Amino acid sequence: MKQTTATLKKYLAAMPECHVLVIGDIMLDRFVYGNVERISPESPVPVLSIKQETMTLGGAGNALSNLASLGIKPHIIAAIGNDDTGRKIASLVSEKRADADMLVMCDDRPTSIKTRFIAAHQQLLRTDAEDIRSIQPATEAAILAKAAEIIPAVHAIIMSDYGKGLLTDTIIKQVMALANERGIPVLVDPKGTDYSRYRGAAVVTPNRKELSEATNKAPTKTDEEITEAGRTLLQTSGIKAVLATRSEDGMTLLSADTPDKPVHLSTEALEVFDVSGAGDTVIATVAASLAAGATLEEATILANKAGGIVVAKTGTAAIRAEELLKRLDEDAAENKADANRRALILDREHALEQVIRWKAQGLKVGFTNGCFDILHYGHVTYLNDARDKCDRLIMGLNTDDSIKRLKGPDRPVNDQDARANVIGALGSIDLVVLFGDQPEEDDKASRLIEFLQPDIYFKGGDYTVDQIPEAPIVQAYGGEVMVMPVYEGHSTTGTIEKMKQNG
């Protein structure tokens, strides 16, 4: 499953030349923001003083937005009402570089609109105005005519099923046949419990709950349970692959060709703020990647990274190609460091991003600090012992100015760049951060520890925890302080004195 950054970047670069079609239930997402300062005298409900309104594409429109942000040439076939909401959707679709003429206007049903009322980042109420009955035969025929016109020109198709009546059995069956005749992969964001209606799909993308409901309430908590439920779905539906999205637990990919070889991907989220629309991001990224020539496994890797980025945003957000490129470059730098057995050397802000990423993967992060002017046996042994007690070890390294304040004007012997690279070459160190040159920092790394919040703070010496100045900071956020033994007869000062005597 490991792919080079160059390979994944190649697919991103190819996306602007690719066409992807979305067919499904489109709606308008309306957000009304305001302040609540009093309770209504008419009824015990809050009064929202409206300050701002925004409107975005929802449902199948969110998949379209993600495709457009990835650089894909997007197309959408959907039904809208002959109303102001429908005309707003047509305008937003045009802004995404898609042809609004592919939308079918209906006189017999309104455009779906969901309105959310929000105060202080808290949703107070959501209202839905919609008609979820199946579309009329005339609308169905118009949808199929547009599908037959555009499908030969696209490289992948997304069926975005929100259960609002557009994806009838007839439309699903005929679109699937048109696509399969031309070898065009169809990806389905499913609805309901009978997935056999999606027979012939290249992949379906249920979340954990949807997978359970589609397999007679099968458990879907662990890797093993997800795998078993996925196999059952493959056996009963005629679908070629299942990509189960599992929120904070990542994704699982199962193929009908290799059902005994599931691929489990851990979440790539730095921090989860909002999972709204993450499923649309995943299916759009998979479709775009397949259109650009990626295998399903490669497409899943990119989709996992994309999903990890968007859940760290608030609200329904689309993934941008630049964000994926940035994540690939960051991963490449980390992998290069691992391959060369050299630690990352980062500033404090980028170090925090790396700490959050490690913690999101369930890794225990340790931290120690010091001058490490001349590396010796005591240093190396201490650091190896500390690394044995955590999954990743960060070195907080005093800057040159900080060492002069601590040790005197003749120190350090080696400058901070040299020290950072030498200490970073040790197999025990995963990340190096310099500190002590900012006015708000101190020479004991207290501010850096408070900023990074490692799981364990290691201190070498003959101390008790209550004698360590940094201990209260670590304990305040729930971290652990661990005192490590010192190795007598080994010190930088002693080494320097010995060199002077020998000289």
Side-chain angles (χ1 to χ4, degrees), residues 329-347 350-351 353-355 357-358 392-396 420-421 423-426 429-434:
D329 286 337
E330 290 171 349
D331 292 346
E334 185 175 349
N335 292 336
K336 183 178 179 181
D338 288 343
N340 294 337
R341 299 188 62 81
R342 292 180 182 175
L344 296 165
I345 302 174
L346 301 176
D347 60 37
H350 287 92
E353 290 183 4
Q354 184 60 65
V355 170
R357 186 179 295 119
W358 281 335
R392 297 289 185 270
L393 182 59
I394 301 171
M395 169 58 69
N421 279 280
I423 202 77
L426 296 178
I429 301 298
D430 300 285
L431 172 62
V432 179
V433 189
L434 290 161

Side-chain angles (χ1 to χ4, degrees), residues 137 172 250 296:
I172 292 173
L296 183 55

Side-chain angles (χ1 to χ4, degrees), residues 151-376:
I151 283 176
V154 304
H155 301 94
I157 299 171
I158 296 173
M159 286 188 177
S160 187
D161 195 347
Y162 279 79
K164 307 303 180 184
L166 184 127
L167 287 174
T168 64
D169 289 343
T170 299
I171 286 179
I172 292 173
K173 185 176 180 180
Q174 293 198 29
V175 168
M176 205 75 73
L178 287 169
N180 288 338
E181 284 174 9
R182 294 164 174 79
I184 301 169
V186 178
L187 299 85
V188 180
D189 187 355
K191 197 72 173 178
T193 59
D194 181 14
Y195 284 21
S196 63
R197 66 197 298 261
Y198 306 122
R199 182 176 300 275
V203 60
V204 294
T205 60
N207 59 32
R208 195 198 308 264
K209 180 175 179 289
E210 290 167 339
L211 179 59
S212 175
E213 291 172 346
T215 52
N216 198 26
K217 303 293 184 181
T220 54
K221 186 175 182 180
T222 66
D223 287 357
E224 294 74 19
E225 291 170 348
I226 286 280
T227 299
E228 188 57 37
R231 286 186 188 132
T232 299
L233 190 59
L234 289 172
Q235 293 166 0
T236 58
S237 66
I239 292 164
K240 298 172 186 176
V242 174
L243 177 58
T245 57
R246 302 168 59 186
S247 188
E248 70 278 2
D249 293 327
M251 301 180 184
T252 295
L253 175 66
L254 292 106
S255 171
D257 294 333
T258 55
D260 296 326
K261 296 181 179 179
V263 176
H264 303 291
L265 294 177
S266 300
T267 182
E268 297 246 356
L270 296 181
E271 191 169 353
V272 177
F273 286 105
D274 194 339
V275 297
S276 302
D280 294 312
T281 296
V282 167
I283 197 169
T285 307
V286 172
S289 302
L290 292 178
T295 66
L296 183 55
E297 291 82 1
E298 291 168 331
T300 301
I301 293 173
L302 275 172
N304 193 43
K305 295 181 185 299
I309 293 169
V310 297
V311 297
K313 304 178 181 181
T314 55
T316 302
I319 183 64
R320 294 183 290 111
E322 310 90 83
E323 293 174 309
L324 261 179
L325 283 170
K326 182 174 181 289
R327 175 61 60 84
L328 289 173
D329 286 337
E330 290 171 349
D331 292 346
E334 185 175 349
N335 292 336
K336 183 178 179 181
D338 288 343
N340 294 337
R341 299 188 62 81
R342 292 180 182 175
L344 296 165
I345 302 174
L346 301 176
D347 60 37
R348 51 189 285 139
E349 284 75 20
H350 287 92
L352 178 60
E353 290 183 4
Q354 184 60 65
V355 170
I356 293 172
R357 186 179 295 119
W358 281 335
K359 287 186 175 183
Q361 295 169 2
L363 301 175
K364 184 172 289 188
V365 179
F367 179 96
T368 191
N369 62 280
C371 301
F372 293 87
D373 192 1
I374 298 177
L375 203 61
H376 54 69

